[in-house]
Amino acid sequence: MRPPVSDHRTTQPRPRASLRTAVVWEVLQDALDRRTKATGRDSLDILDTGGGSGNFAVPLAGLGHRVTVVDPSPNALFALERRAAEAGVAERVKGMQGDAHGLFDVAERGGYDVVLCHGVLEYVDDPAEGIRNAVAALRPEGVLSLLAAGLGGAVLARALAGHFKEAGQALRDPDGRWGSGDPVPRRFTADQLTALVEGAGLRVGAVHGVRVFADLVPGVLVDTEPGALDALLELEAAAAELPAFHSVATQLHVLGETPGAGEA
């Protein structure tokens, strides 16, 4: 059985990791609550594309959901299997080697209540195709959780580090890259992501900025100042929903819903 709603907030990573994931977890868990109520089922079928070693998949399985992780890395899938076993949720987590382009070689088309597409669009050759495949994996009433690198956050970070030419390059580059040494192949604005989601036939339910401040605050301050972590988490949550801060977030989270899910 799925744990009570009052208990599930404790599953998100703490303490420092929560700075990177807290906003996404809040939005995602609220969406899961709505879907479980709408379906009348205790557990949902979730597809985590590019889910790696299970940062989201294992906690979601801990809530009682069935999670299929598709990832191209066999090492990541091995780590996923080990993590799921250690957490006691191995029977609810399935790892499959594959990628967004050939998603339906390993995953079921139209078979999932929720699809996670986190950290995938930055690396695929065709982001629009990646989104279309993710949407095609949804049931008629389903939810897409999309998380991708934000352009503005990278520009701001390079400028604050004193790399002004690289900041300008990222700002001008069509893919948002600051140079040949940039490890991220592509970054997005909020408008670009929402256009991709809407172009795939989904309604945009919410857009949030992720890591608006977390990557800019010195870690020593968060670790040593009493109450700093909780205060920073509250600040991140407050800024996440404000469009003015989307343009400087390190990541952007878009929640997309099928028309059927929006009516449920």
Side-chain angles (χ1 to χ4, degrees):
M1 294 292 289
R2 185 170 177 264
V5 172
S6 60
D7 291 340
H8 75 199
R9 304 296 173 183
T10 62
T11 62
Q12 69 182 38
R14 294 281 290 180
R16 282 290 294 277
S18 59
L19 285 173
R20 295 177 175 269
T21 60
V23 170
V24 179
W25 269 110
E26 287 298 315
V27 177
L28 181 57
Q29 291 175 342
D30 284 343
L32 293 174
D33 287 345
R34 293 197 302 271
R35 293 312 308 145
T36 53
K37 291 175 182 176
T39 62
R41 291 185 271 118
D42 290 326
S43 62
L44 302 173
D45 294 305
I46 300 175
L47 175 64
D48 187 355
T49 64
S53 60
N55 288 337
F56 278 85
V58 171
L60 289 172
L63 299 178
H65 302 300
R66 296 175 294 274
V67 188
T68 298
V69 176
V70 175
D71 195 277
S73 168
N75 290 335
L77 293 174
F78 177 78
L80 168 71
E81 182 179 0
R82 182 176 57 195
R83 176 183 278 186
E86 291 173 350
V89 297
E91 73 281 2
R92 292 195 293 275
V93 176
K94 178 172 64 174
M96 305 289 289
Q97 188 171 1
D99 56 28
H101 176 70
L103 184 62
F104 299 114
D105 293 337
V106 294
E108 180 183 354
R109 186 182 295 270
Y112 304 92
D113 300 290
V114 178
V115 173
L116 275 59
C117 186
H118 293 177
V120 173
L121 292 194
E122 297 93 322
Y123 300 95
V124 297
D125 292 333
D126 186 347
E129 180 193 33
I131 289 292
R132 287 195 299 268
N133 284 349
V135 172
L138 287 171
R139 288 173 174 154
E141 296 181 354
V143 173
L144 171 70
S145 175
L146 172 63
L147 182 67
L151 169 63
V155 173
L156 183 61
R158 301 314 290 175
L160 290 179
H163 303 300
F164 306 121
K165 289 185 178 180
E166 291 179 350
Q169 172 66 21
L171 195 59
R172 294 186 298 269
D173 187 82
D175 291 325
R177 305 189 75 230
W178 48 256
S180 60
D182 192 337
V184 179
R186 187 182 294 108
R187 295 183 177 89
F188 301 87
T189 65
D191 287 345
Q192 288 172 332
L193 290 179
T194 56
L196 286 170
V197 170
E198 291 173 342
L202 298 187
R203 180 183 70 87
V204 174
V207 180
H208 289 82
V210 180
R211 291 156 57 190
V212 175
F213 306 104
D215 291 349
L216 304 177
V217 176
V220 64
L221 189 155
V222 177
D223 291 336
T224 60
E225 191 72 21
L229 175 61
D230 289 337
L232 183 53
L233 283 168
E234 291 180 8
L235 181 61
E236 287 279 354
E241 297 185 19
L242 300 177
F245 289 97
H246 295 169
S247 60
V248 294
T250 299
Q251 292 179 306
L252 295 163
H253 183 251
V254 179
L255 192 74
E257 300 175 331
T258 65
E263 296 165 3

